[in-house]
Amino acid sequence: MAIDTPTTTTTTATAAAAPTTGSRGPAPADDRLTGRAKLVLFVLCAAQFMVALDFSVLNVALPVLGEDLGLSRSALQWAVTAFALPSGGFLLLFGRIADLYGRKKLFLTGLTLFGAASLLATLAWDPASFLAGRALQGLGAAVIVPTGMSLLTTTFPEGPLRDKAIGISGTLLSLGFTIGMVLGGVMTDTLGWRSTMGLLSATAVIVLALAPGLLPESRTPDRPRLDVPGAVTVTGGLLALIYSLSTAAQRGFGGADVQGTLVAGLLLLTAFAVVESRTPAPLVSLPMLGRRTVAWGNAGGLITFSMMSTVVFVLTLYLQETLGLSSFRTGLVFGVQGVASAFAGSYAPRVIGRFGARRTLIGSLLGQGVFTAALLAVGTGSGALVATVAVSLASMCHLGAIISYGLTVTSGVPDAEQGLATGLVTTTQQVGLTIGIPLLGVLATTQASLFGGVRTVLAIDAAIVVAAAVLVGAGLGVRGTKKA
């Protein structure tokens, strides 16, 4: 395996570690990770975990942060939106740049930017400096996520080794979100909100110290010209779409800025599709988007992320405002959820090895929908135990869907386009995390009865996931008992 002898040239230098044409190729002798491979995987997963942690570690600290820096309650959403805009909007662009100019090089650049931005947010002296740090963190994350994933998929050959690597990565991704919710509360109470940003800066420094000597360099050999019109339209479209949906989560869809940016985002994404159909070297190959596995795999990923983030949002409201649980006890519920997700992640590669990524994706979506529906059994006087068990089981299925949709989308894609494929995977992830709460979560907060609103959201959520499982299964052509 090439990960035993790191390279500094192109993808062809890692041919022994990963197929260059997207075919499965000869099966590896076994699926055991060598010592060096484990270190490579640790570095890549630590970076992904760090970014996932950033999404949630600050949430419980927002009230304290606002009071300290002088951010009004209405302006607190920008602590989240300032990160979400660049982290989601620039993913496809940086994924493609990494393909052309070097994944390792861009990965290290993203780590440096993320670490410096986290330090700025830690030392922030006013709202402007803090929000600038958050925006630069988001930009760094937009570099780290697609380049880290493409380094993983081009370093580990398609088959058992890649299944195991993506399984571990997906588990840590899920744990990052969950641990962030618990860790953020503990650190804020004991060390102050700045400690949450300081933790991210320290993590970036550790990963940056290990990465250069471990990671192989890879890029597309022919290096075609960057599709600038495509980059401008897709980045602008994603930025506008994420802004409108993030803002709608706080203020609803009635604002002129929300409606205007939503329309602008849709128009820019339409223009992007037209540009890509006419340019000789597109940013996103329309034939790739036409691949059944890419289109339907990403559809499954969009549903699992958007609907599970909605479940976590409304369940937090239910536990704290209906049952009156403290932030700490609510965190324990999600701590159990995190442990369950870790358990699922350790077994997901075995399930995928037996049934195939596509069949596992369908089964995982069905399970997520069924266990989300089980949350309807909670009541106004009690229900913490039911909620803990049901959300943990739903999260186990959600973790299976995360891993299997990533494998479904990237399997069979040439190494030269792995940055693009993983950029699509991670863009789906970011957009999914953004749209679920504004589209469904507001139903829970705008109804006369919060409990009634929570039940309505859970019922709709479960129905959407089950329907998606059926549609994605049909789209992927999964039928019978044949492994797929």
Side-chain angles (χ1 to χ4, degrees), residues 217-306:
E217 182 59 283
S218 64
R219 63 174 66 90
T220 302
D222 54 359
R223 292 180 63 174
R225 294 176 58 186
L226 182 64
D227 172 21
V228 176
V232 171
T233 51
V234 73
T235 301
L238 287 173
L239 286 171
L241 184 65
I242 292 170
Y243 171 84
S244 64
L245 293 175
S246 298
T247 306
Q250 303 293 327
R251 298 192 279 111
F253 286 95
D257 59 333
V258 174
Q259 296 175 359
T261 51
L262 180 61
V263 171
L266 294 175
L267 289 176
L268 283 168
L269 291 177
T270 301
F272 170 68
V274 174
V275 168
E276 298 308 276
S277 67
R278 298 179 179 179
T279 184
L283 180 69
V284 175
S285 167
L286 293 184
M288 172 180 280
L289 290 179
R291 288 174 181 253
R292 186 167 60 181
T293 52
V294 171
W296 287 103
N298 275 304
L302 184 70
I303 292 298
T304 193
F305 273 110
S306 61

Side-chain angles (χ1 to χ4, degrees), residues 459-484:
I460 295 173
D461 190 298
I464 289 175
V465 178
V466 171
V470 175
L471 291 174
V472 172
L476 289 174
V478 177
R479 58 176 65 89
T481 59
K482 184 180 179 180
K483 177 178 174 179

Side-chain angles (χ1 to χ4, degrees), residues 93-192:
L93 175 61
F94 285 129
R96 190 53 174 164
I97 290 175
D99 281 343
L100 301 180
Y101 300 105
R103 297 167 183 131
K104 175 183 176 181
K105 184 187 304 181
L106 208 62
F107 181 75
L108 297 178
T109 302
L111 281 172
T112 303
L113 176 59
F114 188 92
S118 299
L119 181 60
L120 174 59
T122 303
L123 302 175
W125 54 92
D126 60 14
S129 59
F130 175 74
L131 294 177
R134 289 292 287 165
L136 290 172
Q137 276 184 322
L139 195 63
V143 178
I144 293 168
V145 172
T147 53
M149 271 294 290
S150 58
L151 280 169
L152 188 149
T153 56
T154 55
T155 300
F156 295 91
E158 189 173 335
L161 279 175
R162 186 184 293 181
D163 293 355
K164 178 177 288 187
I166 291 184
I168 294 171
S169 177
T171 300
L172 290 177
L173 178 71
S174 179
L175 279 175
F177 290 112
T178 304
I179 290 174
M181 297 177 66
V182 181
L183 191 60
V186 173
M187 294 184 70
T188 300
D189 287 343
T190 57
L191 301 173

Side-chain angles (χ1 to χ4, degrees), residues 5-100:
T5 55
T7 66
T8 56
T9 53
T10 65
T11 307
T12 56
T14 60
T20 58
T21 62
S23 62
R24 180 169 289 274
D30 55 53
D31 61 354
R32 291 173 296 179
L33 296 171
T34 66
R36 186 177 186 86
K38 290 177 181 177
L39 288 174
V40 170
L41 185 58
F42 170 79
V43 166
L44 295 175
C45 288
Q48 302 287 348
F49 178 83
M50 175 184 68
V51 173
L53 195 68
D54 198 11
F55 272 96
S56 57
V57 73
L58 194 64
N59 287 347
V60 295
L62 288 178
V64 177
L65 180 154
E67 184 177 347
D68 184 30
L69 291 179
L71 273 171
S72 66
R73 184 177 295 273
S74 60
L76 281 179
Q77 65 156 318
W78 280 102
V80 177
T81 304
F83 179 88
L85 280 170
S87 68
F90 288 95
L91 276 166
L92 280 177
L93 175 61
F94 285 129
R96 190 53 174 164
I97 290 175
D99 281 343
L100 301 180

